[in-house]
Amino acid sequence: MTVTYRRRKKRTAPLLIPILIISLILLVIGGYFGYNKYLEIAYPIKYQSWVEKYAAENHLNKYFVYAVIKTESGFDPSAESNVGARGLMQIMEDTFDWIKFKLDDDNAVYGDMYDAQTNIRYGCYLLGYLMDEFGSVEVAAAAYHAGRGNVNSWLSDKKYSADGVHLDNIPISDTAHYVNKITKAMNKYIKLYDNTT
């Protein structure tokens, strides 16, 4: 009986190694594709025609816009913050009024910020304006979050900006965290979807 058991063990041992190797390979491949699928779900491309249209009109990298929408609202057009910012790109009412004036959009009302297309149009206008003023994604994102006045003040203070152009230190932790989230999300979008790199 002991002899029979040993023979069976010897026969199955050589088969076990290739099965384990194949299983491991399948697990690695499945994990890789599963992780990529997770990333595509976590960093979706939604409202593509509007994002691309208004990003192009405002000379923006579309992945910057996607990163802002993901960070601000998670692509929920009905999102409203606890301070009243609305829509995909979380536009505050006073910011809406300023953009409305700049766009000469007399018929717009603040409720339009729940409309995805209008919100993206307004948000892209603001991001484009900030990029023109500040020249980098990081500083424009800081201004989008904390306001132009704060950012201009930081840029003129050697504690926060050595060259008056880049922010070496952001004194508001929420804004520093926001800028970090935007840049990370933008880099993920570029890695996932930009075939030109």
Side-chain angles (χ1 to χ4, degrees):
M1 192 172 236
T2 307
V3 173
T4 306
Y5 172 73
R6 283 183 184 160
R7 282 184 185 160
R8 281 188 191 154
K9 193 173 181 184
K10 285 180 182 175
R11 282 186 204 146
T12 57
L15 291 174
L16 192 59
I17 293 170
I19 290 170
L20 285 174
I21 291 170
I22 291 167
S23 298
L24 185 61
I25 290 168
L26 291 173
L27 189 63
V28 168
I29 292 169
Y32 173 78
F33 287 108
Y35 180 66
N36 279 350
K37 196 61 171 166
Y38 158 75
L39 287 177
E40 288 173 11
I41 292 166
Y43 296 89
I45 296 289
K46 295 183 179 181
Y47 309 104
Q48 185 172 7
S49 61
W50 297 330
V51 168
E52 292 189 6
K53 171 181 168 58
Y54 296 118
E57 282 181 11
N58 292 281
H59 313 289
L60 293 166
N61 182 316
K62 65 185 176 183
Y63 300 115
F64 181 24
V65 179
Y66 284 123
V68 169
I69 295 172
K70 175 183 169 38
T71 303
E72 289 285 356
S73 68
F75 291 89
D76 178 3
S78 64
E80 184 168 337
S81 76
N82 58 351
V83 293
R86 292 182 177 178
L88 291 170
M89 298 183 76
Q90 291 291 278
I91 309 289
M92 292 289 290
E93 190 165 11
D94 56 344
T95 306
F96 163 80
D97 290 334
W98 179 81
I99 299 169
K100 175 182 170 176
F101 170 76
K102 296 293 263 181
L103 292 175
D104 196 23
D105 195 5
D106 292 335
N107 295 324
V109 295
Y110 190 45
D112 293 338
M113 289 301 92
Y114 293 123
D115 174 71
Q117 182 178 5
T118 307
N119 190 283
I120 292 168
R121 178 178 170 229
Y122 273 53
C124 284
Y125 178 84
L126 178 56
L127 283 180
Y129 187 93
L130 296 172
M131 281 296 292
D132 286 345
E133 182 172 3
F134 297 111
S136 77
V137 166
E138 292 80 6
V139 182
Y144 194 88
H145 187 265
R148 293 171 55 243
N150 279 329
V151 168
N152 279 310
S153 171
W154 300 337
L155 290 173
S156 64
D157 189 331
K158 294 289 184 195
K159 286 188 298 191
Y160 309 121
S161 175
D163 61 6
V165 176
H166 302 93
L167 288 170
D168 306 312
N169 182 21
I170 298 173
I172 299 174
S173 61
D174 282 352
T175 301
H177 180 64
Y178 177 83
V179 171
N180 187 48
K181 283 175 72 173
I182 293 290
T183 54
K184 279 187 175 177
M186 184 175 171
N187 289 335
K188 286 283 190 191
Y189 272 107
I190 290 168
K191 188 174 179 183
L192 278 169
Y193 299 108
D194 189 358
N195 298 322
T196 62
T197 55

